[in-house]
């Protein structure tokens, strides 16, 4: 792999665990996508309602941390949880903040049941950037998915 960044948002810890596994295998730089602390609830259903309201209003949450210098990277692995069949709104905020430089994005995500339209919504949000194949795992399977993770990384 060329110079790679792993950028991830994790609400429950599953995506963070997957990002750490990817980091252990690639030694890529890490960037945690964060929304301001008071943006979401600790309750999954309230958080889903907040995210739906953000999307309906067209007001994605701001990023709590400045972006790293993305021009240093050829590939950005972008991870997050599936919320209502789409990327979590902080992931969409991150995608919207990426400059139009030529960078390849590789989505990875964790879900609690079904990924829905995650990949299609991710591609739309990524705009002109090239998109590699995605790695999607149920959150409960992150710890035992070594083969899937390695196969995905080999494809990149």
């Amino acid at each position: 792999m060329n110079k790679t960044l792993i950028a991830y948002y994790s609400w429950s810890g599953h995506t963070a665990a997957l990002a750490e596994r990817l980091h252990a295998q690639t030694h890529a730089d890490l960037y945690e996508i964060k929304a301001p602390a008071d943006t979401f609830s600790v309750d999954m259903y309230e958080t889903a309602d907040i995210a739906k309201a953000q999307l309906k209003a067209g007001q994605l949450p701001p990023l709590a941390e400045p972006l790293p210098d993305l021009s240093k990277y050829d590939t950005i692995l972008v991870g997050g949880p599936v919320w209502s069949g789409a990327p979590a709104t902080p992931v969409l905020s991150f995608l919207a903040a990426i400059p139009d430089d030529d960078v390849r994005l590789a989505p990875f995500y964790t879900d609690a049941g079904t990924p829905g339209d995650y990949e299609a919504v991710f591609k739309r949000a990524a705009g002109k950037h090239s998109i590699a194949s995605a790695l999607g795992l149920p959150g409960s399977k992150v710890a035992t998915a070594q083969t899937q993770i390695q196969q995905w990384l080999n494809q990149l």
Side-chain angles (χ1 to χ4, degrees), residues 1 10 14 22 27-28 33 42 55 63 67 69-70 75 85 89 91 93-95 97 108 121 127 134 136 140 142 148:
M1 258 190 231
S10 188
H14 293 299
L22 293 168
H27 305 291
I33 301 167
V42 296
L55 291 171
L63 298 175
L67 292 179
D69 179 3
L70 300 179
T75 303
T89 54
V91 172
S93 294
F94 176 80
L95 292 173
F108 66 95
V121 174
S140 62
V142 169
Q148 284 176 277

Side-chain angles (χ1 to χ4, degrees), residues 18 21-22 25 134-137 141-156:
L18 180 52
R21 300 220 33 214
L22 293 168
Q25 291 186 337
L135 171 66
L137 294 171
K141 302 288 185 192
V142 169
T144 60
Q146 184 61 32
T147 301
Q148 284 176 277
I149 292 168
Q150 191 57 56
Q151 287 174 342
W152 183 66
L153 288 171
N154 289 344
Q155 290 176 19
L156 300 178

Side-chain angles (χ1 to χ4, degrees), residues 31-52:
Y31 170 77
E32 183 177 358
I33 301 167
K34 295 181 182 179
D38 61 348
T39 304
F40 299 107
S41 170
V42 296
D43 179 86
M44 176 177 66
Y45 299 105
E46 287 179 28
T47 294
D49 289 342
I50 292 166
K52 287 176 190 174

Side-chain angles (χ1 to χ4, degrees), residues 6-126:
I6 300 169
Y8 69 95
Y9 173 77
S10 188
W11 181 83
S12 68
H14 293 299
T15 306
L18 180 52
E20 288 296 334
R21 300 220 33 214
L22 293 168
H23 175 68
Q25 291 186 337
T26 64
H27 305 291
D29 295 342
L30 280 174
Y31 170 77
E32 183 177 358
I33 301 167
K34 295 181 182 179
D38 61 348
T39 304
F40 299 107
S41 170
V42 296
D43 179 86
M44 176 177 66
Y45 299 105
E46 287 179 28
T47 294
D49 289 342
I50 292 166
K52 287 176 190 174
Q54 290 170 339
L55 291 171
K56 185 175 181 179
Q59 295 183 328
L60 297 174
L63 298 175
E65 304 289 331
L67 292 179
D69 179 3
L70 300 179
S71 67
K72 298 185 333 185
Y73 301 101
D74 302 306
T75 303
I76 303 174
L77 312 181
V78 183
V82 176
W83 286 357
S84 301
T89 54
V91 172
L92 296 175
S93 294
F94 176 80
L95 292 173
I98 297 174
D100 286 337
D101 301 338
D102 186 24
V103 64
R104 183 172 67 139
L105 304 176
F108 66 95
Y109 57 87
T110 57
D111 64 72
T114 177
D117 292 327
Y118 189 98
E119 292 180 44
V121 174
F122 185 99
K123 286 179 184 179
R124 280 195 305 272

